[in-house]
Amino acid sequence: MGVDVVPERSPEAIRTFTRALLRDLQALERLLDEGLIETGLRRFGAEQELFLVDEAWRPAPVAVEVLEDLNDDPFTTELARFNLEANLSPRVLEKSCFSDMHAELDDHVARVREAARRHASEVILTGILPTLSKSDLSLDNITPRARYHALNEAMHAAGSGAFRLRIRGTDELMIEHDSVMLESCNTSVQIHLQVSAEEFAHFYNVAQAVTGPVLAACVNSPLLFGRRLWAETRIALFQQSLDTRGADLHMREMSPRVRFGGGWLKRSVAELFQEDIATFNVLLVTDIEEEPFAVLEAGGVPKLQALQLFNGTVYRWNRPCYGISNGKPHLRIECRALPSGPTTLDEMANIVMWIGTVLGVAKAVPDLTERMDFDDAKGNFMAASRLGLRSGMAWLDGESGPSDRLLLDMLLPLAREGLGDYPISQGDVDRYLGVFEERVKARVTGADWALRSFGSLKRAGTRSERLAALTASSVRQQKAGIPVVEWEQAELHEAGGWKHNYLRVEQYMTTSLTTVNQEELVEMVAYLMHVRQIRHVLIEDNEHRLVGIVSYRSILMLMSEGRTRTEVENMPVSEVMERKPVTVTPETPTLEAISRMRGEGVSALPVVKDGQLVGLVSETDYMPMAYHLLEDALQGD
């Protein structure tokens, strides 16, 4: 995605780019056939994505300004103004390579943190930022780069309208969004492992087989918009946020652009590129000046720009990559499944474990595809995403068991053996695999910590305050550098005070609504008010559009008019409700909402977004604010 793209997606531009793409694929096949891909060198690298948050622990859209302050190549933009990425230097698997990368990672994070402070912001490493709200995902927060706007337009053109999410966990989330910005909810640590052309198919299959079990101990994204969903909700969110398949094509078997894959790789990396080009349309185009075969004939190495740009728009969880280092072409496997955080130490433990496991299993199980069904590898990946270390795993020869036992009894020893074949510092291996092992033994992942902390705060403060406390506690303990297995639970006071959590209506509005249809009986409304101890019932039509509101006062006035019981029992709500009620949006500032309530003489405001009813704010919701104001005033005296 670092390539400049051409905004125009005319049929002619797409055809021109497609010709270049096919030529690049043919050039890659020639590189493979002639043995020109670098071999005998084992490098690894990583990319760190992160969030920027403001003093209220909410997304801070200042990434462009922070990057201008940093003014350095390792740092680059991401889709949203509140994300950025740091690229870590590729390293050979030798000596203190892991601790050296860890030091570089800490230095990058510290530099971003220092620059962020100059813009009243802070850095957090997390798979999904707990305090994100849907309003943060407007196009106002898209990074002002042509390629991101082009991606949004291309995804819209390729799909069937709105981007839809439906994720079920402890809670359920069902939303629609009008842009590709849903993707910006995710941040990850992406691991690159260089492999030779001859071994690529075997190593890629091994990576597919081990990513699920390793992910089970790395999960760190259990919350989205305050809903408790999957242990690694990123997996479902990323796939659905970039899904261009139309719902009306349900009878066709179509592949999502974000995917695990459909089967074992048989021969070479070219098969993956061939499959993707045959399956997916071109989304982005750029001017390609290079003629790859001319470069080859001249003894050079082609950049394969068209292939690389296209590959950046197909999101395999283990993605093949082509690159050039020191004038030599090479191949890498990029693991995209592991989340950012909870700490840089945990991240390095995850990196070392994934690399070690790939190396160890590749050596110990040369006949992997004969001993394991691909569907089991895919099932393991999905189970780990949903349940983390509570998942069960299938393994070789039909064996299965709990994920923690597979990791402790089988994969950790293999990871040690795999890394033992390289001249790597034993202290590094022991340190990072030890952190990973302790996490598995204690069954404490970032997701487990977040859910336990969130649960412990269940009866304290508003949901917005609880999510802010979770975020603040994460930042505090990340700075301490201690692994997540040693983290304390979050406490409400870490949210930084009540004021930050009453800035906008969406932070405290009630979203569990009591509604009835306009044709429903008034008696039902009175019953609901009594049973649920509420003073307002919202009235919807069949499309869930707000058409009115009934207050407890309206029911009392009806009874005082001397109506007979029969009249009241048979009366539809439409005859009693307040039509065209005063409404606000989730983004409405609190002071404006209070002013509207006072000015209109109402005690409740329905919250409407894009014509749909999404919440309710009433006088009761402002009672905590009034309490805090009174407390502050009395303490001031």
Side-chain angles (χ1 to χ4, degrees), residues 80-274:
R81 288 175 177 265
F82 45 75
N83 299 136
L84 56 78
E85 178 180 283
N87 294 306
L88 301 173
S89 305
R91 301 175 188 277
V92 176
L93 276 177
E94 61 181 13
K95 301 178 182 177
S96 57
C97 58
F98 293 136
S99 55
D100 290 345
M101 176 173 278
H102 191 183
E104 182 185 24
L105 175 58
D106 280 341
D107 178 68
H108 283 354
V109 172
R111 290 176 61 194
V112 177
R113 182 166 280 132
E114 182 180 356
R117 288 195 188 109
R118 293 194 285 272
H119 299 277
S121 306
E122 181 57 272
V123 170
I124 180 171
L125 307 178
T126 182
I128 297 175
L129 180 64
T131 53
L132 266 174
S133 64
K134 194 164 178 277
S135 62
D136 295 315
L137 306 181
S138 72
L139 287 177
D140 292 338
N141 279 337
I142 195 170
T143 299
R145 299 287 187 270
R147 62 181 178 269
Y148 299 123
H149 287 281
L151 177 64
N152 183 60
E153 293 169 9
M155 293 297 290
H156 261 295
S160 58
F163 298 88
R164 296 177 177 86
L165 287 184
R166 182 167 187 172
I167 308 174
R168 290 178 176 172
T170 301
D171 302 319
E172 183 176 15
L173 177 67
M174 293 177 62
I175 65 169
E176 287 190 357
H177 196 56
D178 58 359
S179 78
V180 75
M181 283 290 285
L182 280 170
E183 180 194 342
S184 67
C185 296
N186 301 296
T187 59
S188 63
V189 172
Q190 297 154 23
I191 312 169
H192 294 253
L193 180 64
Q194 182 175 333
V195 298
S196 67
E198 296 77 14
E199 66 188 3
F200 189 93
H202 178 52
F203 269 67
Y204 186 82
N205 289 333
V206 169
Q208 292 282 77
V210 305
T211 295
V214 173
L215 175 62
C218 303
V219 290
N220 191 37
S221 313
L223 295 163
L224 176 60
F225 304 146
R227 308 300 202 281
R228 298 161 297 173
L229 302 171
W230 291 10
E232 191 52 42
T233 304
R234 283 176 48 257
I235 303 302
L237 171 60
F238 196 47
Q239 178 163 320
Q240 294 183 35
S241 66
L242 292 177
D243 197 344
T244 57
R245 297 172 298 173
D248 56 335
L249 298 176
H250 61 278
M251 295 189 68
R252 289 176 55 185
E253 187 171 335
M254 302 179 69
S255 297
R257 284 192 100 91
V258 180
R259 59 184 180 146
F260 185 79
W264 296 124
L265 184 59
K266 295 182 174 61
R267 292 177 298 278
S268 80
V269 64
E271 294 173 48
L272 297 175
F273 292 122
Q274 290 165 358

Side-chain angles (χ1 to χ4, degrees), residues 456-467:
S456 71
L457 296 170
K458 191 173 184 179
R459 301 185 184 280
T462 64
R463 184 171 69 177
S464 177
E465 288 177 288
R466 297 194 294 272
L467 295 171

Side-chain angles (χ1 to χ4, degrees), residues 434-510:
V435 169
F436 191 94
E437 184 175 9
E438 286 304 308
R439 193 191 312 152
V440 177
K441 286 180 176 179
R443 295 172 66 88
V444 175
T445 63
D448 294 317
W449 174 85
L451 289 174
R452 279 205 313 274
S453 289
F454 193 59
S456 71
L457 296 170
K458 191 173 184 179
R459 301 185 184 280
T462 64
R463 184 171 69 177
S464 177
E465 288 177 288
R466 297 194 294 272
L467 295 171
L470 203 64
T471 304
S473 183
S474 295
V475 172
R476 172 177 62 82
Q477 298 185 91
Q478 282 173 9
K479 288 181 177 179
I482 55 178
V484 72
V485 72
E486 300 176 18
W487 279 18
E488 305 167 344
Q489 288 191 0
E491 297 184 7
L492 192 66
H493 68 83
E494 296 184 88
W498 63 273
K499 292 181 181 179
H500 294 316
N501 298 288
Y502 281 88
L503 298 176
R504 298 200 301 260
V505 163
E506 65 184 342
Q507 293 180 273
Y508 52 87
M509 67 184 184
T510 299

Side-chain angles (χ1 to χ4, degrees), residues 306-572:
L307 183 63
Q308 294 205 62
L309 177 57
F310 176 82
N311 192 43
T313 66
V314 178
Y315 306 89
R316 291 178 180 268
W317 291 112
N318 284 307
R319 182 159 67 181
C321 293
Y322 168 88
I324 302 173
S325 294
N326 302 320
K328 296 181 180 180
H330 68 259
L331 297 174
R332 307 185 308 276
I333 300 169
E334 178 191 16
C335 177
R336 303 171 52 81
L338 305 188
S340 180
T343 65
T344 59
L345 177 56
D346 286 300
E347 289 179 339
M348 283 306 306
N350 299 344
I351 290 171
V352 175
M353 179 63 184
W354 185 83
I355 292 173
T357 307
V358 170
L359 297 174
V361 173
K363 179 181 179 181
V365 192
D367 55 347
L368 173 74
T369 60
E370 298 175 10
R371 299 180 61 187
M372 185 176 188
D373 190 276
F374 179 82
D375 287 344
D376 286 337
K378 188 173 184 178
N380 288 347
F381 179 74
M382 299 309 297
S385 304
R386 289 188 174 97
L387 300 173
L389 286 172
R390 293 187 293 115
S391 60
M393 294 279 158
W395 192 234
L396 306 179
D397 306 319
E399 295 184 8
S400 62
S403 58
D404 59 340
R405 296 318 319 166
L406 174 61
L407 288 165
L408 293 172
D409 299 342
M410 181 75 69
L411 297 185
L412 269 161
L414 285 173
R416 291 184 181 278
E417 291 179 20
L419 295 170
D421 290 338
Y422 296 83
I424 304 172
S425 162
Q426 190 59 47
D428 274 11
V429 173
D430 291 342
R431 180 190 184 193
Y432 295 114
L433 289 187
V435 169
F436 191 94
E437 184 175 9
E438 286 304 308
R439 193 191 312 152
V440 177
K441 286 180 176 179
R443 295 172 66 88
V444 175
T445 63
D448 294 317
W449 174 85
L451 289 174
R452 279 205 313 274
S453 289
F454 193 59
S456 71
L457 296 170
K458 191 173 184 179
R459 301 185 184 280
T462 64
R463 184 171 69 177
S464 177
E465 288 177 288
R466 297 194 294 272
L467 295 171
L470 203 64
T471 304
S473 183
S474 295
V475 172
R476 172 177 62 82
Q477 298 185 91
Q478 282 173 9
K479 288 181 177 179
I482 55 178
V484 72
V485 72
E486 300 176 18
W487 279 18
E488 305 167 344
Q489 288 191 0
E491 297 184 7
L492 192 66
H493 68 83
E494 296 184 88
W498 63 273
K499 292 181 181 179
H500 294 316
N501 298 288
Y502 281 88
L503 298 176
R504 298 200 301 260
V505 163
E506 65 184 342
Q507 293 180 273
Y508 52 87
M509 67 184 184
T510 299
T511 56
S512 179
L513 303 175
T514 299
T515 66
V516 299
N517 187 273
Q518 57 191 338
E519 301 303 324
E520 188 58 82
L521 293 173
V522 169
E523 186 178 15
M524 172 59 76
V525 172
Y527 171 77
L528 291 172
M529 288 180 173
H530 171 70
V531 169
R532 298 189 175 178
Q533 295 294 292
I534 56 177
R535 290 180 170 271
H536 301 87
V537 173
L538 301 170
I539 316 302
E540 298 179 296
D541 62 14
N542 292 331
E543 281 73 45
H544 300 289
R545 293 188 298 257
L546 179 71
V547 294
I549 187 171
V550 176
S551 67
Y552 187 69
R553 186 182 305 169
S554 300
I555 299 295
L556 291 177
M557 290 179 62
L558 180 66
M559 301 302 295
S560 68
E561 291 176 356
R563 302 285 186 105
T564 66
R565 179 169 181 172
T566 301
E567 287 178 317
V568 173
E569 287 178 348
N570 294 323
M571 184 179 295

Side-chain angles (χ1 to χ4, degrees), residues 15-42:
R15 287 194 296 268
T16 299
F17 181 84
T18 301
R19 281 194 295 272
L21 175 60
L22 294 174
R23 290 287 283 173
D24 279 0
L25 178 58
Q26 292 166 353
L28 175 64
E29 291 168 345
R30 177 170 167 179
L31 287 168
L32 295 170
D33 291 341
E34 297 182 4
L36 299 177
I37 300 296
E38 186 175 35
T39 188
L41 194 61
R42 188 78 70 206

